[in-house]
Amino acid sequence: YRHVAELTSDFAYAFRLASDGSFEAEWITDAFDRIVGYSPAHFAAPRGLLELVHPDDRPGVQRSVELLLAGHSNVIEFRVVRGDGEVRWLRNQARPEWDEATNRVMRVLGAAQDITAQKQAEEEARQHQAALLHMARLSTMGELTAQLAHELNQPLCAIVGNAQTAQRLLTTDPPDVAETRAALDDVVTHGNRAADIIRRLRDFLRLQQPQP
């Protein structure tokens, strides 16, 4: 298994579980030192392993260890902090070997892959997608603003025109009350039209079913 693992995974390992619950490393492939930047001696105990793990990912790794001790295989992705401070992502797959005689886990076999490049590519793709969505929102807002200005321009012009007409009619002697009232009625009508345009825009932004 070890010889095969050296050819097919970034690094692999085998731990033997002592009766006191501590781990003893049976073997770890040479790639461990290259990827993690530490000697395999750090795998001698769970505490040594957790010291390599990024603080934010330690609870998840601890749960993974508990699952292994309970006899459950699992796969987990987590970050490690190398000796030089560089952060790398690992994808770890581990399987426990159960001892029926003692009714406990006697050994854990596992393999870990360095997926840092994959994670970086995913993050770059996420940032690129976010930038595209931002540009799309800006473009949409520009189109909505132009459309809104066009839609509101007509009722606003009508409101101003009718208000000016009402002002002029009130200066006549005697004031033309009937025409003034008609002009003010038009102001109300076009004011309601402008308000309705804004209401329909708000309904559209709320993703409600539009009413033609």
Side-chain angles (χ1 to χ4, degrees):
Y1 174 76
R2 176 176 181 176
H3 290 315
V4 172
E6 288 175 340
L7 298 174
T8 58
S9 62
D10 285 351
F11 74 85
Y13 53 84
F15 299 150
R16 180 175 293 278
L17 186 64
S19 58
D20 62 358
S22 63
F23 285 107
E24 177 184 352
E26 292 186 332
W27 54 264
I28 301 176
T29 53
D30 295 337
F32 175 81
D33 193 355
R34 172 180 55 81
I35 294 174
V36 179
Y38 283 99
S39 160
H42 281 268
F43 259 157
R47 180 181 178 185
L49 168 62
L50 288 177
E51 288 176 353
L52 303 178
V53 178
H54 190 283
D56 293 344
D57 296 339
R58 287 177 185 173
V61 173
Q62 183 64 51
R63 287 192 297 272
S64 173
V65 172
E66 293 170 356
L67 286 172
L68 290 170
L69 294 178
H72 302 289
S73 301
N74 63 82
V75 180
I76 184 174
E77 295 180 358
F78 60 92
R79 291 163 292 179
V80 294
V81 183
R82 286 172 41 89
D84 57 7
E86 180 187 357
V87 176
R88 288 196 178 181
W89 277 94
L90 297 181
R91 186 175 189 269
N92 185 69
Q93 305 179 69
R95 177 178 64 84
E97 290 187 351
W98 191 265
D99 185 0
E100 296 293 343
T102 59
N103 197 33
R104 67 180 181 87
V105 173
M106 59 176 294
R107 180 183 288 107
V108 172
L109 298 176
Q113 296 175 313
D114 185 348
I115 58 171
T116 305
Q118 173 187 332
K119 289 292 186 179
Q120 290 175 343
E122 291 174 355
E123 177 62 20
E124 290 174 359
R126 187 195 64 78
Q127 293 179 357
H128 181 66
Q129 182 66 21
L132 290 177
L133 290 174
H134 179 65
M135 293 300 296
R137 286 195 296 268
L138 290 178
S139 177
T140 301
M141 286 302 299
E143 294 174 2
L144 284 175
T145 301
Q147 183 67 21
L148 182 62
H150 174 74
E151 292 290 339
L152 289 177
N153 186 60
Q154 295 180 5
L156 290 178
C157 287
I159 289 172
V160 172
N162 280 283
Q164 291 174 337
T165 299
Q167 288 177 328
R168 186 177 65 257
L169 292 171
L170 289 174
T171 61
T172 61
D173 188 20
D176 192 336
V177 177
E179 289 295 329
T180 301
R181 181 180 294 110
L184 292 177
D185 288 342
D186 283 342
V187 169
V188 173
T189 299
H190 290 292
N192 288 333
R193 179 185 173 192
D196 186 60
I197 292 172
I198 295 174
R199 179 188 58 77
R200 287 189 284 114
L201 177 64
R202 293 178 64 183
D203 290 343
F204 171 75
L205 295 177
R206 291 173 182 168
L207 299 180
Q208 294 181 352
Q209 183 66 29
Q211 297 296 328

